[in-house]
Amino acid sequence: MKRNFLFTAISVSSRLLAGLLLSLLLARLWGPAEFGVYSFAFSTMTLLVLVVDFGLDLYLMREVAAKPDEASRLISDAFMAKLMLSAVAAVAALCVIGLLGTELLPIGVALPLFGAALAFSFSDLFAAPLRALGRYDLETGVVTAGNALQFGLTGCAAWVGGSAMAVAMAALVSRVGYLLIARMALTRVLSELQLFNRATTSPLNTIKRAWPYGVDYMLVVAWNQLDILAVRMMFGVQAAGLYAAGQKIVFGTSALAPIVGNVMIPRLSTMFAARDKRLWQMAGKTSGFMAVLGAVLALPLIVWPELTTRVLFGPRYSELSNYLPWFGGVLLVRYISAGAGVLITAMGQQSKRVSAQLFGMFCVVSLAALLDVPTSGLPWFFAVYLAGQIFMTIYYFMSLLQCRDFFR
């Protein structure tokens, strides 16, 4: 078990670390303006491909682990569902580009990034069942190789002076390479796999079965992308570049939260199923550890914002130091909420997570409209966004309080 946790930690860390390092590299080489253009296109295309993701990799991890003899059929079902959703996402991408215009979404940047996000989505579909089949080692190798390929190709393209368009094309090539690696690895484990199996379940039925995973996953990713889009639309490309730089720090330093969750959820789930009264004690320790971890990671952003900005991004991002304490607050609150979220998942209350995230987003939109954030300025956006995170966290803990009588 410890060996599998180690492989999981390596897999998750390599993905988030590669993304963080690549973002830091692009930000330093380009400056806020061009980084803002790239980040806006990246976030927009990522949100569109959420329709294709729909949590199907998480769905496969659970279903294949429960029914390994049906792994080939389940993977084929999910693959056909993704193909149908890909057509929907492609039409949506063209419509969004047409509506926003090429000034906001340059076609040469947006379309390659859409293709890269699509290839990445299918790659995860092939990599996820490896963990469910007990091949944590192979899954870790595949994910790590894919991340190394992405960082190497896109990083080199930027290092030699490549524009946002060149880096987007490099991202597409690297993600196609990851797709091929993941497909070959899965074939090694399931030689009988037939993706285009006429006996598969209809794509609509597969989507209906996977919807709880899809909604939760889409909301989690939306929290990490919608804010960049909002800043770009309200405050311009320069502000978007600065904001995206800080947001990437939060996203990258959040890497430890899912690792802790992967370790604690099975243990807490077992205690919950056994009606073990020590569950709350263990849950308290988990939440406390997550809060301390979040405080340690947020400390440099809150206490030494100028030094952190200078070391990570350079002098062109000096204005970012004014906002890093806000990002530190968001990071701390996210770790606190993650501690509560682990227990909610362990207790089988996944719908509570969906409700909490929807409530947090509703609070952000309501406060933004009430305070007229577009005319109030970027600091007010930070205040509203942090408030939304806090309200979501309160919702989590209120949900837990409703369950405290369960063991009496």
Side-chain angles (χ1 to χ4, degrees), residues 269-280:
S269 297
T270 301
M271 296 176 72
F272 176 76
R275 304 298 190 268
D276 192 331
K277 294 185 181 296
R278 296 173 299 173
L279 172 69
W280 294 108

Side-chain angles (χ1 to χ4, degrees), residues 4-348:
N4 290 342
F5 284 147
L6 176 61
F7 282 128
T8 300
I10 294 172
S11 179
V12 173
S13 298
S14 69
R15 174 171 296 180
L16 294 177
L17 185 60
L20 175 61
L21 292 177
L22 181 60
S23 297
L24 293 176
L25 178 64
L26 296 179
R28 287 188 72 97
L29 292 175
W30 285 341
E34 188 163 9
F35 186 59
V37 171
Y38 183 87
S39 297
F40 181 75
F42 178 86
S43 295
T44 304
M45 296 301 109
T46 298
L47 285 171
L48 289 171
V49 175
L50 282 180
V51 176
V52 182
D53 291 336
F54 205 69
L56 286 169
D57 53 334
L58 300 176
Y59 166 78
L60 282 182
M61 284 178 60
R62 192 270 176 194
E63 294 298 317
V64 171
K67 295 174 278 189
D69 293 340
E70 300 181 31
S72 296
R73 179 188 63 81
L74 290 167
I75 295 170
S76 178
D77 289 347
F79 178 78
M80 296 303 294
K82 267 189 179 286
L83 286 181
M84 185 185 76
L85 293 172
S86 297
V88 175
V91 173
L94 294 176
C95 292
V96 168
I97 293 174
L99 288 172
L100 295 181
T102 55
E103 184 177 352
L104 280 175
L105 278 177
I107 294 178
V109 178
L111 289 184
L113 287 178
F114 176 80
L118 198 61
F120 181 70
S121 179
F122 277 90
S123 301
D124 273 357
L125 181 77
F126 296 144
L130 296 174
R131 189 182 301 177
L133 293 169
R135 292 303 307 270
Y136 284 78
D137 55 336
L138 186 57
E139 188 263 354
T140 299
V142 168
V143 172
T144 303
N147 292 327
L149 183 63
Q150 182 211 15
F151 181 77
L153 288 181
T154 53
C156 286
W159 187 261
V160 298
S163 63
M165 183 184 302
V167 171
M169 290 300 300
L172 174 59
V173 173
S174 69
R175 288 312 190 189
V176 171
Y178 175 39
L179 175 61
L180 296 175
I181 293 171
R183 176 70 175 88
M184 289 187 292
L186 184 59
T187 303
R188 284 178 54 188
V189 178
L190 290 174
S191 57
E192 72 278 12
L193 177 64
Q194 294 182 2
L195 294 177
F196 298 95
N197 187 346
R198 294 183 180 179
T200 57
T201 305
S202 72
L204 288 177
N205 285 335
T206 301
I207 293 170
K208 289 178 182 178
R209 293 174 183 174
W211 80 263
Y213 302 89
V215 173
D216 182 55
Y217 177 78
M218 291 171 73
L219 290 173
V220 168
V221 177
W223 270 113
N224 295 314
Q225 305 296 339
L226 281 174
D227 51 342
I228 294 179
L229 271 63
V231 171
R232 170 64 182 90
M233 299 297 290
M234 289 189 291
F235 305 111
V237 66
Q238 181 80 7
L242 291 171
Y243 186 90
Q247 193 254 28
K248 297 301 181 183
I249 298 177
V250 174
F251 183 69
T253 49
S254 299
L256 294 178
I259 296 173
V260 175
N262 287 339
V263 174
M264 294 308 301
I265 286 174
R267 185 173 182 180
L268 291 171
S269 297
T270 301
M271 296 176 72
F272 176 76
R275 304 298 190 268
D276 192 331
K277 294 185 181 296
R278 296 173 299 173
L279 172 69
W280 294 108
Q281 182 182 4
M282 182 60 65
K285 290 181 179 179
T286 301
S287 296
F289 174 75
M290 294 287 266
V292 171
L293 184 59
V296 171
L297 294 172
L299 186 65
L301 306 182
I302 298 173
V303 179
W304 304 292
E306 294 85 0
L307 177 62
T308 303
T309 301
R310 186 166 61 252
V311 171
L312 294 180
F313 299 105
R316 286 186 290 180
Y317 287 81
S318 58
E319 187 180 350
L320 177 61
S321 62
N322 298 324
Y323 307 123
L324 277 190
W326 288 104
F327 284 113
V330 170
L331 181 62
L332 175 58
V333 173
R334 282 193 179 184
Y335 266 90
I336 294 173
S337 66
V342 165
L343 182 56
I344 289 174
T345 298
M347 296 175 69

Side-chain angles (χ1 to χ4, degrees), residues 340-364:
V342 165
L343 182 56
I344 289 174
T345 298
M347 296 175 69
Q349 301 292 317
Q350 195 73 4
S351 61
K352 299 287 187 182
R353 292 175 60 99
V354 174
S355 300
Q357 293 184 71
L358 289 174
F359 177 69
M361 290 182 176
F362 171 78
C363 291
V364 170

